[in-house]
Amino acid sequence: MRLERAELRRLDLPLRTPFRTSLGLELRRDILLVRVVTSEGEGWGECVALPEPGYSEEYLDGAAEVIRRFLLPAVAVLDDLTPARVASALACIPGNPMAKATVEMALMDAWLRARGVSFADYLGGVRGEVECGVSVGIADSIGDLLAEVAGYVDEGYRRFKLKVEPGWDVEPVRAVRERFGDVVLQVDANAAYTLGHARLLAELDNFDLVMLEQPLPTADLRDHAALARRLRTPICLDESITSARSAVDAIALGACAIVNIKAGRVGGYLEARRIHDVCAAHGIPVWCGGMLETGLGQAANLALAALPGFTLPADIAPSRRYFSEDVTPMITMGDGLIAVPRGPGLGLDPEPEIMERFTTDVATLTEF
Ligand code: NPQ
Ligand code: MG
């Protein structure tokens, strides 16, 4: 397979509910989609980078530039492209995992569509549906939080994840636990604490949380190990796990008992699968994280979450959780479950009319 043309498309999708985390408040989702046209057909990739650095170093304009100037040219020289050759063609460029994952996803989609194989079958998925959790942003008050969570309980989610930060942690968690009884509850700090908060974080042990996700900064693996020794609540790493290599290191250090896997954060779906594999070999449960993707990104995430080691509910939600309209047919949840797409490639097609309506910019590349 050869890359012939590419299109970088930016979309501006309003969020139905504001999403506040320790990284900031988002009212819209600025999206970058990459459409590749290859010798064997077309494919779509979605870049999960946010408009500004914060979650990680990458940001959307930077990722778009890296994709256009460095990544697409590096794969365009190959005339025997396969999904597995994408990452090796890009390995000489350090970092930029979200940009790399976008290119891999688009070429994998093209390659699999041409062969009539789904992402899930290609990756080794064994599940027909995925358990959905909901990620709940920081609210303006405990009352607002309880009202928002009540809505999600009624919608049937299988698990509730509260975003926490210093000043919004023990009390909101206590309030949700008291109000909603034995729901499956976990928290995510997006690196907002330090080891000096260990005593405070230990108070969360009172609430039977399934996990505490990424309490400390990305590079602080030894501090996560030290914190883990002081808590009963299992620690899950998100931002800190950037490759299968770093997953093995974190596990060996005792820095995490659970791993959140996001293909964008680790450079692609094949590296994501390797993390799944090494975690399974060490008895570490994994689950599929999310970045408020459109239906295209969520389709790929559903395929990944279908692998056998993904034993905890995913940050995968029906389209309506975030968007009034999605760029694919709306993904729906029934009984807290979403079906894994089974059609060729991503198994979902963009809706051209909706796509056009939300598009803010298109760059077409015909030579690299
Ligand atoms: C996480 N995601 O697990 C992230 C990070 C995150 C679903 O909780 C705008 C769009 C703001 C996506 C902030 C979830 C965001 C974002 C944080 C994703 O850490
Ligand atoms: Mg997280």
Side-chain angles (χ1 to χ4, degrees):
M1 185 174 83
R2 269 175 296 99
L3 175 63
E4 293 178 342
R5 282 183 288 129
E7 182 183 279
L8 271 63
R9 183 179 282 266
R10 289 286 279 271
L11 296 91
D12 179 29
L13 289 179
L15 290 175
R16 282 186 55 205
T17 319
F19 189 61
R20 183 146 106 228
T21 67
S22 61
L23 306 167
L25 170 68
E26 308 281 331
L27 302 172
R28 349 185 41 82
R29 191 72 177 93
D30 185 352
I31 301 277
L32 168 64
L33 299 178
V34 173
R35 183 174 73 105
V36 294
V37 179
T38 75
S39 51
E40 301 187 9
E42 298 184 11
W44 288 92
E46 176 166 344
C47 184
V48 299
L50 303 181
E52 294 171 7
Y55 170 80
S56 69
E57 297 90 332
E58 286 181 284
Y59 66 101
L60 262 178
D61 290 344
E65 171 91 349
V66 167
I67 290 168
R68 186 178 62 76
R69 283 186 58 196
F70 305 114
L71 305 186
L72 291 174
V75 293
V77 298
L78 300 182
D79 52 18
D80 53 356
L81 266 173
T82 62
R85 286 182 183 141
V86 176
S88 60
L90 303 180
C92 55
I93 300 162
N96 299 284
M98 293 174 177
K100 289 176 176 175
T102 310
V103 171
E104 187 204 69
M105 177 179 161
L107 290 166
M108 193 181 289
D109 184 35
W111 195 83
L112 291 174
R113 283 181 198 260
R115 283 158 184 75
V117 176
S118 69
F119 258 61
D121 283 338
Y122 179 69
L123 292 173
V126 296
R127 245 183 282 284
E129 44 200 8
V130 167
E131 282 193 289
C132 301
V134 62
S135 177
V136 186
I138 292 164
D140 289 336
S141 68
I142 301 261
D144 287 357
L145 175 70
L146 294 176
E148 187 178 345
V149 172
Y152 299 137
V153 169
D154 289 344
E155 288 177 55
Y157 288 96
R158 299 279 177 110
R159 171 279 272 164
F160 304 85
K161 162 170 139 179
L162 307 185
K163 290 290 188 177
V164 291
E165 66 180 4
W168 182 264
D169 39 43
V170 176
E171 291 317 315
V173 170
R174 183 198 313 282
V176 170
R177 179 55 88 207
E178 282 177 0
R179 167 77 176 272
F180 299 103
D182 58 2
V183 295
V184 180
L185 195 58
Q186 63 192 56
V187 296
D188 183 5
N190 287 113
Y193 295 87
T194 68
L195 193 53
H197 291 103
R199 192 193 291 265
L200 168 75
L201 292 170
E203 290 182 51
L204 294 172
D205 281 343
N206 296 318
F207 305 111
D208 282 313
L209 302 179
V210 177
M211 69 188 84
L212 163 58
E213 181 180 347
Q214 196 70 42
L216 310 179
T218 303
D220 297 0
L221 284 187
R222 286 199 303 165
D223 280 0
H224 277 104
L227 182 63
R229 289 191 290 272
R230 297 182 54 176
L231 303 187
R232 264 184 294 117
T233 307
I235 290 184
C236 169
L237 289 177
D238 173 354
E239 287 90 325
S240 293
I241 306 299
T242 55
S243 62
R245 175 56 178 260
S246 72
V248 172
D249 288 349
I251 294 164
L253 275 169
C256 63
I258 300 171
V259 170
N260 166 325
I261 302 185
K262 293 175 182 164
R265 196 189 68 226
V266 305
Y269 284 88
L270 294 178
E271 186 69 11
R273 183 173 65 183
R274 283 190 282 275
I275 297 177
H276 160 272
D277 295 347
V278 300
C279 288
H282 286 85
I284 296 287
V286 302
W287 56 286
C288 184
M291 294 295 288
L292 283 54
E293 292 89 344
T294 72
L296 295 169
Q298 294 229 81
N301 289 347
L302 285 162
L304 181 65
L307 296 187
F310 284 79
T311 53
L312 296 164
D315 270 349
I316 297 177
S319 300
R320 69 155 194 281
R321 158 75 181 94
Y322 296 116
F323 309 118
S324 299
E325 291 179 280
D326 202 337
V327 302
T328 59
M330 297 293 275
I331 293 176
T332 56
M333 176 174 78
D335 198 21
L337 302 170
I338 295 182
V340 177
R342 283 287 160 191
L346 294 171
L348 282 181
D349 292 310
E351 303 262 26
E353 184 272 326
I354 298 176
M355 185 87 98
E356 284 308 322
R357 204 145 33 80
F358 291 104
T359 294
T360 55
D361 187 64
V362 185
T364 305
L365 310 174
T366 52
E367 49 191 329
F368 301 98

